[in-house]
Amino acid sequence: MSRYLMIDFGSTFTKLTAIDTEAEDIIATASHFTTVATDITVGYENALKIIHEKLGGEVKFDKIIGCSSAAGGLKMAAIGLIDELTLEAAKRVCLGAGAKVDLAFSHHLTNEDIQKIKDKKIDIILLSGGTDGGNSECVLYNERKLAENGIRIPIIYAGNKNCRDEIMEMAKKYSLDEYMCANVMPRLNVLNIPDAREKIREIFLKKIIEAKGIKKIEREIDKVILPTPEAVLQASELLSRGYMHEPGLGEIVLADIGGATTDMYSMSSPSAKRSDVVLKGLEEPYAKRTVEGDLGMRYSALGVLSSLTAEEIRLYNADEGVDLNKELTYRHEHVDNIPVNQHEEKIDRIIGQICIDKAMSRHVGRMEEMYTPMGMIYNQYGKDLSQIRYVIGTGGVLVRNNDPYSILKKVEYTMSKPLELRPMHPQYLLDADYILAAMGLLSEIDPLLALRIMKKHLKPIGPVAEETGESPAAQFAAAGACV
């Protein structure tokens, strides 16, 4: 028998999950305010005391590993040549590695762009541009611009391979902290993500957690091995695909609503679902993550307000009997606010619905109608999520609200947005125990165990769950989920 402890050092809370391998289950969970600004070990040790109390005394764990989004998470700048191509490819690499793209630049960098990189305290720069054998002038200009302005943060070069020798010479001349990897877009509209993702993880483990004061926690635990969003992405992909003889759930969407961002994940084939559709634009990955930094329950509440039109605000105020401007401003100014009555819970539910709806519009693919001499055809940009089987929700507003289904349901197809390829008739699951990041960590050690625990603990919600009253595992089996 082994016992593992998985830790998520979040920006607000440090969350601990204790696992018993023989029981194949979670045996205790606990959380405490993250104390990264002073000493990150304090918050961890306070949460650990709660774990020991729940388990009836001090417990020795065979493995203790963590993930982290504390101290602002992993902040990256993506630089590419063309917005829709190499820059979009670079952004997808960053997001898939668990980073937040705080800055994105196309074409030639300016002095203003350089100043933004310095002011934002970016952790890593991903420099891309040009297919292999294609444009070289722009990436060389941007590398020189970064070098001459004294940029000392890690730079990952993931552009035209024909420029590598000149990039390396420049990096040596200016003593840059440069890393080389494969071109993220070696051919037009073709993505090559894995090598760049591994470089980001390497830098995260070697430098970023130390720079943010998180490295010192490794005196207490084995290691911080992942950014939290990457842990969630790994858990989601495992849950979707399955492992060995244990079936997954098939194609899924995961929505994570936080105080500062709303993250959307989709695990699905990028191919067209209809024969009358032509795929356009950059190739989509099976495991996709997008982050909306202006959509959040507290820190980004004013961004939620900015995302609404005047007419949308008027309709919400009239239909719900609220003053959205006042309510969102209050939550932005009181980020520690937790609902204590029905009115406050209702406001959080409305904000959560807006975050989900807006984030899904930005994540999902869309159709574009084209008239030709042969009749109407459709071009598809992005992913078709119409046949998604399960939508999974996580985040405080969903876990604490008495009607998480009404929030999650905002991912669905609606006639008001007819060309968005949203889920049509999904079933809904809730990560009620905040286990997804922990299961992403566990998947690094024992993916089969992580998959079984997720299937056991994700809670079905909505009409189907109410009708059957079955356990999650029974519902998955009845649905015939397969890898």
Side-chain angles (χ1 to χ4, degrees):
M1 178 186 73
S2 295
R3 286 182 171 179
Y4 300 143
L5 186 65
M6 309 290 113
I7 314 164
D8 175 11
F9 296 101
S11 57
T12 307
F13 287 96
T14 293
K15 299 176 279 290
L16 274 58
T17 304
I19 297 154
D20 186 312
T21 59
E22 186 175 5
E24 293 195 342
D25 208 350
I26 295 166
I27 53 175
T29 61
S31 66
H32 193 274
F33 285 111
T34 298
T35 53
V36 69
T38 52
D39 184 347
I40 195 170
T41 60
V42 174
Y44 162 69
E45 287 170 356
N46 286 333
L48 186 59
K49 287 178 185 176
I50 299 171
I51 289 285
H52 288 321
E53 288 171 4
K54 288 184 175 182
L55 296 179
E58 190 164 325
V59 175
K60 179 176 172 54
F61 290 99
D62 300 276
K63 197 84 173 173
I64 305 176
I65 57 175
C67 57
S68 175
S69 59
L74 179 56
K75 301 190 293 184
M76 291 190 64
I79 303 171
L81 178 57
I82 299 172
D83 284 354
E84 297 82 4
L85 296 173
T86 49
L87 176 57
E88 180 63 25
K91 287 163 65 177
R92 291 188 188 179
V93 170
C94 298
L95 293 168
K100 179 184 175 186
V101 183
D102 275 28
L103 295 171
F105 305 110
S106 58
H107 305 292
H108 297 75
L109 290 171
T110 65
N111 290 335
E112 183 182 3
D113 296 336
I114 297 293
Q115 192 58 48
K116 286 180 180 178
I117 291 172
K118 293 178 179 178
D119 292 344
K120 279 278 191 177
K121 294 182 170 54
I122 294 297
D123 296 314
I124 303 173
I125 295 170
L126 182 66
L127 175 61
S128 65
T131 55
D132 288 341
N135 182 287
S136 60
E137 183 275 333
C138 188
V139 288
L140 293 173
Y141 175 91
N142 286 337
E143 176 81 5
R144 187 173 293 107
K145 191 77 172 177
L146 292 166
E148 291 176 350
N149 279 274
I151 296 296
R152 289 291 174 261
I153 61 178
I155 301 171
I156 299 173
Y157 179 68
N160 183 352
K161 71 175 184 180
N162 296 63
C163 302
R164 279 188 168 198
D165 290 345
E166 292 163 277
I167 293 287
M168 290 178 70
E169 287 175 13
M170 220 181 301
K172 185 176 180 180
K173 177 182 176 181
Y174 288 93
S175 301
L176 298 177
D177 189 7
E178 192 94 29
Y179 297 78
M180 293 286 171
C181 70
N183 193 348
V184 295
M185 197 177 75
R187 301 189 304 280
L188 196 64
N189 286 330
V190 174
L191 282 177
N192 181 26
I193 290 178
D195 195 27
R197 280 182 60 177
E198 282 305 308
K199 275 288 181 289
I200 293 170
R201 183 193 282 203
E202 175 188 330
I203 297 169
F204 173 80
L205 293 175
K206 187 163 64 174
K207 296 193 172 191
I208 303 306
I209 60 173
E210 183 170 358
K212 291 179 180 290
I214 300 168
K215 186 74 174 176
K216 58 189 172 186
I217 192 64
E218 292 185 355
R219 296 194 298 264
E220 310 286 332
I221 71 173
D222 293 312
K223 207 163 189 180
V224 176
I225 62 170
L226 291 172
T228 299
E230 186 181 356
V232 175
L233 185 71
Q234 288 189 188
S236 302
E237 188 165 7
L238 175 64
L239 184 61
S240 170
R241 292 184 185 274
Y243 185 77
M244 297 175 61
H245 57 277
E246 185 73 27
L249 304 188
E251 297 191 343
I252 62 174
V253 162
L254 170 70
D256 183 356
I257 313 174
T261 69
T262 297
D263 296 9
M264 299 296 295
Y265 303 78
S266 59
M267 309 296 127
S268 67
S269 167
S271 60
K273 303 290 195 294
R274 291 167 38 178
S275 60
D276 60 342
V277 165
V278 178
L279 285 173
K280 295 285 186 178
L282 193 62
E283 178 184 33
E284 293 279 344
Y286 181 87
K288 178 179 178 178
R289 169 180 175 248
T290 53
V291 179
E292 307 308 331
D294 61 332
L295 300 176
M297 299 299 299
R298 297 294 183 265
Y299 293 96
S300 301
L302 293 183
V304 175
L305 190 63
S306 299
S307 74
L308 298 168
T309 65
E311 179 62 14
E312 285 176 321
I313 293 173
R314 187 191 69 78
L315 288 173
Y316 270 111
N317 290 346
D319 294 346
E320 301 288 351
V322 299
D323 183 343
L324 270 187
N325 196 319
K326 174 185 172 183
E327 298 289 357
L328 286 163
T329 301
Y330 177 82
R331 278 153 183 77
H332 172 73
E333 295 172 351
H334 299 81
V335 296
D336 57 349
N337 172 264
I338 295 176
V340 295
N341 55 48
Q342 288 186 350
H343 173 75
E344 291 184 352
E345 190 170 287
K346 173 184 176 181
I347 298 300
D348 267 15
R349 183 164 60 248
I350 293 169
I351 299 171
Q353 289 172 340
I354 296 169
C355 288
I356 284 276
D357 184 37
K358 299 290 182 181
M360 178 51 83
S361 286
R362 299 174 190 178
H363 181 94
V364 75
R366 70 186 191 280
M367 290 292 193
E368 185 180 87
E369 298 176 337
M370 295 286 292
Y371 293 93
T372 73
M374 301 298 293
M376 176 80 77
I377 64 168
Y378 297 91
N379 290 332
Q380 177 182 321
Y381 295 87
K383 279 187 173 184
D384 182 351
L385 302 179
S386 60
Q387 304 305 311
I388 286 292
R389 302 184 68 172
Y390 292 97
V391 173
I392 302 167
T394 188
V397 64
L398 290 164
V399 173
R400 289 192 295 265
N401 203 274
N402 63 11
D403 189 10
Y405 171 70
S406 71
I407 300 174
L408 275 182
K409 200 174 187 304
K410 289 294 181 178
V411 304
E412 285 191 21
Y413 174 82
T414 170
M415 288 299 293
S416 63
K417 299 172 183 177
L419 297 180
E420 291 185 5
L421 298 169
R422 291 170 171 245
M424 298 289 284
H425 304 291
Q427 295 181 47
Y428 292 90
L429 307 170
L430 182 65
D431 177 23
D433 300 318
Y434 282 118
I435 66 168
L436 286 174
M439 293 305 102
L441 287 170
L442 182 59
S443 72
E444 295 274 310
I445 305 169
D446 191 337
L448 185 59
L449 177 58
L451 177 57
R452 286 175 173 168
I453 290 175
M454 282 191 286
K455 290 171 70 174
K456 186 183 295 185
H457 279 265
L458 290 176
K459 175 186 175 184
I461 58 174
V464 174
E466 292 170 2
E467 288 170 11
T468 63
E470 294 177 327
S471 68
Q475 286 200 27
F476 297 150
C482 57
V483 179

